[in-house]
Amino acid sequence: MTGASAPIGITDLAFATAHFSLDLQQLADHFGIDVNKYYVGIGQSEMSVATADEDIVTMGAEAAAQILARHGSDGIRTLLFATESGIDQSKSAGVFVHGLLGMGPNCRVVELKQACYSATAALQFALGVVARDSREKVLVIASDVARYALDSSGEPTQGAAAVAFLVTADPALVEIEPITGLHTDDIHDFWRPNYLSTALVDGKYSLGAYLRSLEGAWGEFRSRGGVDIDQIDRFCYHQPFTKMAVKAHNRLCTITGSDLDADQRRAQIDASLAMNRHTGNSYTASIYVGLISLLERDEADLAGKRIGFFSYGSGSVSELFTGIVQPGYRALLRDADDRQRLAGRTPIDYARYRALHENVDAVQGEDYETAVETPGPFRFAGVVEHARQYQRC
Ligand code: CAA
């Protein structure tokens, strides 16, 4: 067993998304507005839309299967599943994934919830497990389908995606540094009562709450000995829409007195925005989709560079921390596959999107089967005696 100072972090990181997509031009046409409000104003081009036989489990399993294909499941004794869009009030979505992937029984599996923040809680818990025993490997899955009411202002900021990452000692991708800054505030900026499948949000208030949390978390990070902003090379923010990360980074640069000009600031975050621009919001997964995007799309060699992370979950809990990209990281990326995952989605029109959105609440409490729609490796087959059924395709 190594001491607490052994490097710990992310050894592998994989992406999945839903298999339909809606170009936001379709939504702009429906509302009769200029699409540049979406393309430019909020920085989103498309959003992933789940087919009727996809959900957080199918996407999470698709992401995690890539990790297991490379590393196997031996020695993974903890699976943490982070989500806002849980599919059962009691059973963890992670247990469904554990079964679908044929993982062994000697594993603790649990689901974590705090809006968009809980994947970062899972990462921190995973670091603790590995710090206690360096033989441990922890599989973290973050998976969400972001849904707002039809015809609401949140509608263009929906989306769907999942990430899975493996936390180990001597990490191959990104070492996570120990100092963090935290900020919690009991507010109602975004929330979802048990009887709703779509989130409630006070949009403008949520933007301000996000930025205030960033200031609070940065303040604590610095007071605990965290590095100053000029020692951080790239930044990765929670991205409910990509323009939010731009606003956040500008705010952080302003409050810290950074002397970088606008182009230099953009260069620190641009690559992290590329994939989220096409998936839309993926709540818990979004910041780690941003990390995949940064590692895959940034043309600079990031080995040895420090990344600053800001994770925000409405309600609200947030955390700021840093990580160091490891030498040889490029060989571990799945750039071509991830580009194909985005490019290979089936574009749908507004009417199809609307029907799928309404379908989520169509059947309650009865047995039903879903039609085969997803081309993905796992599908949600329906409900039998109140139990969700999943299949490997
Ligand atoms: N061309 C270019 N830009 C345009 C434009 C045009 N034709 N028309 C409008 N814009 C710009 C506006 O100027 C504005 O830019 P700024 O914010 O830089 O001023 C931007 O487009 C958006 O316009 P509005 O503010 O008028 O848009 P809206 O009132 O419809 O609301 C929103 C936007 C608040 C983001 C809304 O979509 C929403 O509520 N989304 C969900 C909540 C959310 O994502 N909050 C983020 C923080 S909370 C969080 O992070 C947790 C989470 O995941 C939800």
Side-chain angles (χ1 to χ4, degrees):
M1 193 164 136
T2 58
S5 61
I8 309 173
I10 298 172
T11 265
D12 197 5
L13 176 66
F15 165 75
T17 189
H19 290 84
F20 284 171
S21 67
L22 183 77
D23 192 308
L24 294 188
Q25 179 73 59
Q26 298 276 335
L27 208 54
D29 290 347
H30 170 72
F31 288 124
I33 62 166
D34 179 357
V35 73
N36 284 325
K37 173 172 176 180
Y38 303 148
Y39 287 175
V40 180
I42 63 169
Q44 291 301 130
S45 305
E46 296 149 34
M47 57 189 183
S48 289
V49 178
T51 65
D53 57 347
E54 291 174 343
D55 65 12
I56 57 164
V57 171
T58 63
M59 290 191 301
E62 185 171 342
Q66 299 169 61
I67 303 276
L68 297 197
R70 188 178 280 172
H71 304 272
S73 61
D74 284 356
I76 298 178
R77 299 180 65 251
T78 304
L79 191 171
L80 304 174
F81 197 109
T83 189
E84 187 274 354
S85 32
I87 42 83
D88 192 284
Q89 291 283 44
S90 175
K91 181 173 173 177
S92 163
V95 175
F96 290 99
V97 173
H98 179 275
L100 277 169
L101 298 182
M103 294 174 71
N106 302 121
C107 189
R108 64 170 75 87
V109 183
V110 70
E111 184 170 309
L112 293 91
K113 177 178 70 180
Q114 175 41 53
C116 311
Y117 164 73
S118 62
T120 296
L123 170 61
Q124 293 295 340
F125 298 166
L127 296 170
V129 169
V130 179
R132 192 168 160 84
D133 183 343
S134 63
R135 297 170 300 175
E136 297 279 356
K137 300 179 200 167
V138 180
L139 179 62
V140 175
I141 299 172
S143 183
D144 267 309
V145 179
R147 297 181 78 246
Y148 293 93
L150 290 166
D151 301 323
S152 71
S153 68
E155 197 174 3
T157 62
Q158 299 175 112
V163 296
F165 53 86
L166 193 62
V167 176
T168 67
D170 301 318
L173 265 189
V174 181
E175 176 190 346
I176 303 297
E177 296 184 291
I179 296 177
T180 77
L182 297 166
H183 187 87
T184 286
D185 196 9
D186 181 6
I187 57 171
H188 276 88
D189 59 331
F190 164 106
W191 70 106
R192 188 163 65 80
N194 284 344
Y195 49 84
L196 288 183
S197 68
T198 50
L200 301 173
V201 66
D202 184 340
K204 303 289 186 223
Y205 178 55
S206 73
L207 268 62
Y210 180 120
L211 296 174
R212 281 190 297 281
S213 295
L214 172 62
E215 292 188 26
W218 175 259
E220 211 223 1
F221 174 75
R222 288 287 288 146
S223 74
R224 293 175 64 85
V227 297
D228 207 349
I229 192 161
D230 60 359
Q231 292 175 56
I232 305 179
D233 304 289
R234 295 289 186 275
F235 290 82
C236 214
Y237 291 88
H238 166 54
Q239 297 169 40
F241 50 94
T242 64
K243 193 70 170 291
M244 186 73 233
V246 178
K247 288 175 188 286
H249 195 48
N250 283 337
R251 175 66 66 94
L252 189 63
C253 288
T254 301
I255 63 165
T256 55
S258 163
D259 54 10
L260 298 183
D261 64 28
D263 288 345
Q264 291 169 318
R265 291 178 186 187
R266 278 307 291 250
Q268 290 187 315
I269 58 169
D270 253 355
S272 78
L273 311 181
M275 288 171 67
N276 279 286
R277 187 176 176 87
H278 298 284
T279 60
N281 197 355
S282 55
Y283 293 159
T284 55
S286 128
I287 182 174
Y288 299 101
V289 173
L291 174 59
I292 295 173
S293 189
L294 174 64
L295 296 174
E296 290 182 354
R297 308 283 180 107
D298 200 306
E299 287 173 7
D301 180 6
L302 297 181
K305 302 290 186 196
R306 179 177 280 119
I307 302 173
F309 296 86
F310 178 66
S311 181
Y312 177 77
S314 290
S316 65
V317 179
S318 58
E319 184 156 358
L320 197 145
F321 59 101
T322 55
I324 306 288
V325 181
Q326 298 300 293
Y329 73 98
R330 276 195 194 283
L332 302 170
L333 303 177
R334 299 174 176 85
D335 191 8
D337 290 351
D338 291 342
R339 285 178 191 271
Q340 182 51 34
R341 283 196 162 82
L342 290 171
R345 293 170 300 172
T346 303
I348 56 172
D349 63 12
Y350 179 80
R352 183 89 182 91
Y353 149 75
R354 192 169 180 107
L356 278 165
H357 197 291
E358 288 168 343
N359 182 57
V360 168
D361 295 321
V363 190
Q364 298 281 347
E366 294 167 24
D367 287 6
Y368 66 97
E369 285 180 23
T370 56
V372 177
E373 272 183 325
T374 180
F378 303 96
R379 62 182 299 273
F380 164 57
V383 172
V384 177
E385 294 185 357
H386 304 285
R388 292 175 80 86
Q389 309 294 311
Y390 290 93
Q391 296 171 343
R392 221 181 230 281
C393 301

